[in-house]
Amino acid sequence: MTSERPGPGVPTATYRLQLQPAFPFAAAAAAVPYLASLGVSHLHLSPVLEAVPGSTHGYDVVDPARVRAELGGEEGLRALSRTAREHGLGLVLDIVPNHMAMAPRHNHALWEVLREGPASPYARWFDIDWDAQDGRMLLPVLGGPVGTQLEHLTVDGGVLRYHDHAFPLREGTEDLPLPRLLDAQWYRPVWWRLARTELNYRRFFSISELIGVRVEDPEVFDATHATVLRLLDEGVADGLRIDHPDGLADPDAYLARLHEATGGRWTVVEKILADGEHLPASWPVAGTTGYDALRHVDGLFTDTTGAYELLGQYRRFAAPQTDRGGNWEATVRRAAYKVLTHELATETDRLTRVAARLCAVSPDLALRDRAPWALRTALEELLVRLRVYRPYTSQDASAVVTGEAAEEARLAFVVPEEAEAVDVVRRLLVEPTGDASAPDHTDRVELRTRFAQTASALRAKSVEDTAFYRYVPLLSATEVGGAPGSPGVSPDDFHAYCARVQRDRPLTGTVVSTHDTKRSADVRAALSVLTECPARWAEVLAEVTAAGDGVPDGQLAWAAWQTVFGLGQAEEERVQEALLKHAREAGLYTSWTEQEPPYEEAVKAFVAAGPCGAPGERVAALRKALEPHVRANVLGTALVHLTMPGVPDVYQGTEGEYRALVDPDNRRPVEFPPSLPGEKDALTAAALRLRSRRPGTFGASATYAPLTAEGRAAGHCLAFARSGEVVTAVTRLSLRLADAGGWDETLLPLPPGRWTDLLTPERRFTGHARVADLFAHLPVALLERTED
């Protein structure tokens, strides 16, 4: 039996709690006895630093030096830590290095920058382009052009007020007439629509309410991390989750500095890896937060052939244009162009200015005489062709900004000589930046940095926030980190992934549900069953809907019917809210910034009359008929997640049945302990307690070995052994299995020893176990070796 304990503060399993004023530190402390009994080693807390008052998520930090008062302040956090320690639990903190809230009346540092301008000692905190907008910071807060808002702009007590907003006044300007007063400030309040093209501060993606922070500056790093580092040093917390490192100027340098500052504490990063992409080997972190694991687990329970059949039916039903939801790659490309020219237009403008400045003064004459429009086109064409989120300092940039992409990008130009702008831009991005004393060195570094930051924002907005809502043949595949164009994962590919994780990043995080997943794991597990019966799904849709029968559009209708299938019992309000968000994110007929009330009313009416009305009963009947196969996927997903390589993170409430849609639906408070625990609760507790008892069996020095079933139905049994001490076996594609006649005499050869099923402890197995016997009570089995 392997029994060594993990290193100090290294989790065996974490449990994510969404803190908010309605669920503060005291409420979390009250849940500790239950969570400790579940078998986790650490509580994974959502951001705990001071945030905008009333925030339900905490990612809008206003003061990184203070623990949030609404949650109970630092003493409340310390009390939670003491209670957790008493029950054998540690704490993992979620920190937000990339951005803070653009809320001057709550954000003191930002208030001082607006009052004093670039001379403020806090000016270095924020990523502001003071060379733009005549040296004034653009504040896109007005409801219309400034001339139409003058009656709402008032001066009161030395403060400029606009509805709920408050801004400081530059010294000596408070008595000026309003027009002159506005012109005299270090900032410029403007109509919110100008943010798209005029903004001169870096944002989180395209969210103007979150301003980028320059943690690449050592002084800013120290100031914004001092409290978190102190909490780690004093033993209040043990580890960290790093939110969105891709937004940083230099993630490599940031993570190296953080690693040194924390003394090498267990740290995972919210890094979305594209299909086939690996975490940079040089990053001194345990791994990712686990979206790569989510994609592989989901894919394991997705029938690849059926998924393509479903795609064909979706195209016939919804008739989407190829690049507006009909083809995955084309949809992503079109969405990327739209995001670059709309939401990220100001970021593209800044890139173009830097590139033009470089070319205008470069000592290398081959870079000269490049029109800004050509440079902008080259930048856009290269950005939309990136296959990953961004290049990194530690990488060869040419592997990201590829020659193949450059060849394609040249096709955007009619004149070959103008197409050379692509080669110029690519050279500036992939060649070494040169000697630091060179006159163009600063601009070269800025171009590469801004290109990488813009690339990450573009990928997030065009893929996860647009294309995922346009290309919807299988909603379970449109998940954070997912690959909707190839949703299935074979057992061999899954085993290869797990072996690589155990070898390279054995303490990485793994997840199947988070506060950011668009659908919880249980909803996705149900939807995956549709890939096993695409024809039945098409028949049901033919019965419940018809063209022109109140359907706002085919894609939305398809997504709505899948939503209620995945959710099961569906409250109308929850479904309407999720579908309206879906439609706005897709941006085909309405959007967040250009809402179309008639279309949105049609969506609400359709949801009420269709999916949540009488026709929805037919979908509910299909769901009920398929419930045994939904159950197999739900339990299989949970058990694989909890026993595969890595450190599993259990999102609040998901230890039991948990059906949730996109936020804010998935951030609702949950009940501790659950009033009616079921078989999933029992499975989760059994797996977590096993990890707690046998940490070495699953830890850094553990092993992972695929087990291959033998017989006609072998492909439907996915099994693996951990360190020769534990065996996980699950049923995959159970509907296909049933249609093919069941397990028959399929056998699973077990490693040497006698094995007890922890989910039904009275059962023992040895040698070649009949899979039909193994899964006689449940579609999954968790075996522990009890005798040699």
Side-chain angles (χ1 to χ4, degrees):
M1 172 177 170
T2 308
S3 60
E4 73 268 18
R5 304 298 301 178
V10 175
T12 60
T14 61
Y15 190 99
R16 170 75 175 203
L17 291 172
Q18 286 299 109
L19 300 167
Q20 53 182 298
F23 188 81
F25 296 134
V32 163
Y34 160 70
L35 296 174
S37 73
L38 199 59
V40 298
S41 65
H42 287 69
L43 305 183
H44 170 195
L45 306 180
S46 61
V48 302
L49 300 179
E50 196 65 65
V52 171
S55 173
T56 59
H57 52 79
Y59 290 96
D60 44 1
V61 175
V62 295
D63 188 351
R66 292 189 298 133
V67 176
R68 190 174 177 187
E70 287 181 300
L71 300 180
E74 185 165 328
E75 184 48 47
L77 177 59
R78 288 179 177 274
L80 169 59
S81 178
R82 288 193 295 271
T83 300
R85 300 286 183 209
E86 291 168 2
H87 289 78
L89 301 182
L91 301 183
V92 172
L93 303 181
D94 188 346
I95 66 171
V96 191
N98 177 68
H99 54 266
M100 293 176 67
M102 173 54 81
R105 65 192 182 110
H106 303 297
N107 188 334
H108 171 73
L110 185 59
W111 181 273
E112 291 302 304
V113 172
L114 296 182
R115 188 169 66 88
E116 300 180 5
S120 168
Y122 292 104
R124 65 193 307 163
W125 279 38
F126 302 106
D127 206 344
I128 303 167
D129 182 6
W130 293 104
D131 292 333
Q133 297 297 330
D134 296 321
R136 300 166 67 197
M137 186 175 171
L138 205 77
L139 299 182
V141 297
L142 303 183
V146 64
T148 69
Q149 303 297 305
L150 294 179
E151 63 181 297
H152 304 296
L153 287 161
T154 60
V155 175
D156 176 22
V159 173
L160 178 65
R161 300 189 184 278
Y162 178 75
H163 296 302
D164 293 336
H165 296 280
F167 308 104
L169 294 177
R170 189 173 179 177
E171 186 176 357
T173 66
E174 57 271 12
D175 294 326
L176 293 174
L178 187 59
R180 289 182 57 198
L181 180 145
L182 293 176
D183 290 342
Q185 304 312 313
W186 287 110
Y187 55 87
R188 179 183 161 209
V190 298
W191 188 18
W192 65 268
R193 286 190 175 275
L194 269 64
R196 192 181 80 186
T197 56
E198 308 300 316
L199 205 66
N200 61 334
Y201 62 84
R202 182 173 62 84
R203 303 169 285 179
F204 171 62
F205 299 157
S206 61
I207 303 174
S208 301
E209 292 79 12
L210 296 173
I211 182 172
V213 177
R214 298 183 61 254
V215 292
E216 64 270 21
D217 184 315
E219 289 187 25
V220 178
F221 176 93
D222 292 343
T224 55
H225 287 68
T227 295
V228 166
L229 294 174
R230 177 171 55 81
L231 292 171
L232 289 170
D233 187 57
E234 295 175 2
V236 177
D238 302 289
L240 298 174
R241 172 200 184 268
I242 311 303
D243 183 71
H244 187 50
D246 275 345
L248 303 178
D250 189 349
D252 300 69
Y254 169 79
L255 293 171
R257 183 177 289 123
L258 184 68
H259 180 75
E260 181 178 2
T262 66
R265 299 298 185 101
W266 184 80
T267 299
V268 291
V269 291
E270 187 201 22
K271 168 60 190 165
I272 311 301
L273 296 170
D275 196 15
E277 182 186 13
H278 302 294
L279 199 65
S282 62
W283 284 11
V285 297
T288 72
T289 55
Y291 287 116
D292 46 321
L294 181 154
R295 180 177 73 249
H296 283 85
V297 175
D298 276 6
L300 190 62
F301 296 94
T302 300
D303 182 86
T304 300
T305 300
Y308 285 113
E309 291 179 28
L310 205 61
L311 172 60
Q313 292 165 357
Y314 157 73
R315 287 170 172 164
R316 288 189 291 273
F317 178 92
Q321 294 180 25
T322 299
D323 60 356
R324 288 166 64 90
N327 173 275
W328 171 243
E329 295 294 341
T331 297
V332 170
R333 184 68 56 84
R334 181 181 178 120
Y337 281 120
K338 178 181 181 296
V339 169
L340 273 181
T341 55
H342 289 73
E343 291 100 317
L344 298 180
T346 185
E347 286 79 3
T348 312
D349 283 344
R350 186 169 182 178
L351 275 173
T352 303
R353 289 200 307 273
V354 177
R357 191 164 62 236
L358 268 169
C359 291
V361 301
S362 175
D364 182 351
L365 296 182
L367 300 181
R368 298 280 185 94
D369 295 341
R370 305 298 170 183
W373 73 263
L375 294 171
R376 182 188 186 102
T377 300
L379 286 162
E380 290 176 346
E381 295 296 326
L382 289 173
L383 281 166
V384 302
R385 285 171 173 78
L386 293 190
R387 297 289 183 169
V388 296
Y389 265 64
R390 59 169 286 171
Y392 300 100
T393 303
S394 58
Q395 288 179 322
D396 176 4
S398 65
V400 176
V401 188
T402 65
E404 179 185 3
E407 286 289 342
E408 291 182 11
R410 292 188 191 95
L411 299 178
F413 294 85
V414 175
V415 179
E417 290 79 6
E418 290 177 337
E420 291 175 5
V422 173
D423 303 304
V424 167
V425 169
R426 185 170 184 269
R427 274 189 56 193
L428 293 172
L429 292 172
V430 304
E431 289 182 351
T433 53
D435 190 284
S437 62
D440 64 349
H441 177 77
T442 299
D443 280 340
R444 281 178 174 261
V445 171
E446 181 176 359
L447 181 70
R448 294 178 71 156
T449 299
R450 299 294 174 190
F451 183 89
Q453 290 174 309
T454 301
S456 71
L458 172 64
R459 184 78 178 178
K461 293 301 298 179
S462 63
V463 176
E464 292 169 18
D465 290 348
T466 305
F468 275 10
Y469 291 97
R470 293 182 176 184
Y471 181 84
V472 292
L474 178 62
L475 288 183
S476 59
T478 56
E479 194 48 84
V480 182
S486 53
V489 173
S490 71
D492 286 346
D493 287 344
F494 179 80
H495 289 313
Y497 167 77
C498 288
R500 185 171 64 251
V501 169
Q502 186 62 48
R503 182 193 66 211
D504 298 340
R505 302 277 186 179
L507 298 177
T508 187
T510 65
V511 295
V512 288
S513 291
T514 75
H515 62 287
D516 276 335
T517 45
K518 293 171 171 44
R519 294 156 199 91
S520 65
D522 291 355
V523 172
R524 300 196 311 275
L527 287 165
S528 293
V529 175
L530 296 179
T531 65
E532 301 178 64
C533 57
R536 291 174 70 176
W537 175 246
E539 291 171 6
V540 169
L541 283 195
E543 292 178 21
V544 299
T545 187
D549 188 18
V551 177
D553 70 89
Q555 287 161 269
L556 191 284
W558 178 278
W561 290 114
Q562 279 202 6
T563 296
V564 296
F565 177 87
L567 194 60
Q569 287 294 104
E571 296 90 343
E572 181 180 317
E573 184 178 356
R574 290 176 65 197
V575 177
Q576 284 186 342
E577 185 176 8
L579 266 296
L580 280 176
K581 181 170 184 173
H582 183 116
R584 290 170 181 169
E585 294 285 8
L588 293 173
Y589 302 98
T590 187
S591 69
W592 293 107
T593 56
E594 283 88 28
Q595 294 179 17
E596 290 290 339
Y599 177 83
E600 296 194 357
E601 288 302 317
V603 170
K604 291 180 181 179
F606 166 69
V607 169
C612 292
E617 296 175 4
R618 180 65 183 88
V619 172
L622 176 64
R623 162 86 189 221
K624 184 176 181 179
L626 297 174
E627 197 59 45
H629 311 292
V630 173
R631 173 180 177 245
N633 280 5
V634 166
L635 297 180
T637 294
L639 186 57
V640 168
H641 170 228
L642 295 172
T643 56
M644 68 188 291
V647 177
D649 183 55
V650 179
Y651 186 64
Q652 61 179 26
T654 62
E655 66 271 26
E657 183 180 47
Y658 184 83
R659 303 178 191 176
L661 302 175
V662 70
D663 67 275
D665 188 68
N666 62 6
R667 300 183 187 182
R668 294 169 295 151
V670 298
E671 184 181 15
F672 296 115
S675 57
L676 295 172
E679 61 185 7
K680 186 185 174 192
D681 298 80
L683 178 153
T684 302
L688 291 174
R689 291 167 187 165
L690 177 63
R691 293 187 73 103
S692 180
R693 282 194 292 108
R694 292 179 174 264
T697 300
F698 298 93
S701 60
T703 62
Y704 175 91
L707 299 179
T708 303
E710 301 171 352
R712 180 178 54 79
H716 293 280
C717 178
L718 185 285
F720 53 83
R722 303 304 315 275
S723 302
E725 305 284 354
V726 171
V727 167
T728 289
V730 302
T731 305
R732 61 183 298 268
L733 310 184
S734 64
L735 178 55
R736 297 286 198 199
L737 171 67
D739 291 343
W743 291 113
D744 195 23
E745 292 302 315
T746 301
L747 301 176
L748 179 65
L750 299 174
R754 294 179 61 83
W755 298 85
T756 297
D757 185 357
L758 297 181
L759 305 180
T760 51
E762 69 280 2
R763 301 196 311 144
R764 306 285 191 274
F765 298 91
T766 187
H768 284 54
R770 289 183 72 248
V771 176
D773 295 338
L774 197 64
F775 296 144
H777 298 281
L778 291 170
V780 299
L782 176 61
L783 308 182
E784 181 180 18
R785 189 163 65 88
T786 52
E787 298 179 30
D788 292 331

